[in-house]
Amino acid sequence: IELPVVHLGEFTLHIAAPHIETVCRALRDEQDLRFELCLGVSGVHYPQDTDREMHAVYHLMSLTHGGRLLRLEGSVPDANPHVPTVVDVYPGNDWQERETWDLMGVVCDGHPSLTRTAMPDDWVGLTQRKDYPLSGIPVEYKGATVPPADTRRNYS
């Protein structure tokens, strides 16, 4: 655990990224904790957070203990955005880990089938990151070409 944070009544544990799977397993299996449900993982991009630009955020719930919530957050550098998969601990996280990789570029090492969920196989770029352009990109999808959004119409 790098840092525990309580903000606006929500508890977050910042975890060293290589230990996320181990911490998840302990939180699930420890009788006094029993965080048996992972509501998913989200990728977050903080470009100003040098050497920790990419964050993998896991939302856990303990049904045994009345719906307690806990957030785990692991940070990795943009140059090497790898975290371990937690699919062995929380099998329902399969889709969310794939989506986090597809849209944010966070690689979940050990995932059984890290394939795209939203973007075409030949798509270049990570569309949910803050450094991805909002417009001006010509799009071609299955042979159809769509002009950049900023050149389609003028509403003035």
Side-chain angles (χ1 to χ4, degrees):
I1 296 174
E2 294 177 340
L3 179 69
V5 175
V6 177
H7 181 68
L8 299 174
E10 297 179 355
F11 187 48
T12 303
L13 290 176
H14 291 263
I15 307 294
H19 302 291
I20 287 174
E21 190 268 343
T22 305
V23 171
C24 283
R25 190 174 303 281
L27 288 169
R28 183 196 67 186
D29 295 344
E30 174 59 43
Q31 191 61 35
D32 293 334
L33 300 173
R34 299 293 296 153
F35 285 93
E36 59 270 280
L37 179 61
C38 182
L39 301 170
V41 59
S42 302
V44 185
H45 185 210
Y46 294 106
Q48 73 283 1
D49 197 2
T50 306
D51 293 328
R52 300 169 57 90
E53 295 90 355
M54 302 307 299
H55 293 231
V57 182
Y58 302 81
H59 303 274
L60 306 180
M61 179 183 277
S62 173
L63 301 173
T64 301
H65 298 292
R68 279 190 230 168
L69 296 172
L70 173 66
R71 182 182 306 118
L72 298 180
E73 189 166 334
S75 305
V76 292
D78 189 20
N80 188 25
H82 290 262
V83 298
T85 185
V86 298
V87 169
D88 290 342
V89 181
Y90 299 113
N93 239 36
D94 179 316
W95 186 269
Q96 287 86 5
E97 286 186 2
R98 290 173 53 208
E99 184 176 65
T100 300
W101 166 73
D102 186 16
L103 302 176
M104 298 295 290
V106 177
V107 180
C108 298
D109 292 327
H111 189 281
S113 178
L114 202 57
T115 57
R116 290 194 178 266
T117 59
M119 302 307 292
D121 289 337
D122 60 349
W123 193 266
V124 177
L126 302 162
T127 60
Q128 296 298 303
R129 290 178 45 152
K130 292 181 181 173
D131 56 1
Y132 192 79
L134 295 177
S135 65
I137 299 173
V139 176
E140 181 182 331
Y141 184 69
K142 294 188 177 181
T145 302
V146 179
D150 55 351
T151 63
R152 280 187 231 153
R153 292 193 175 106
N154 185 352
Y155 292 102
S156 56

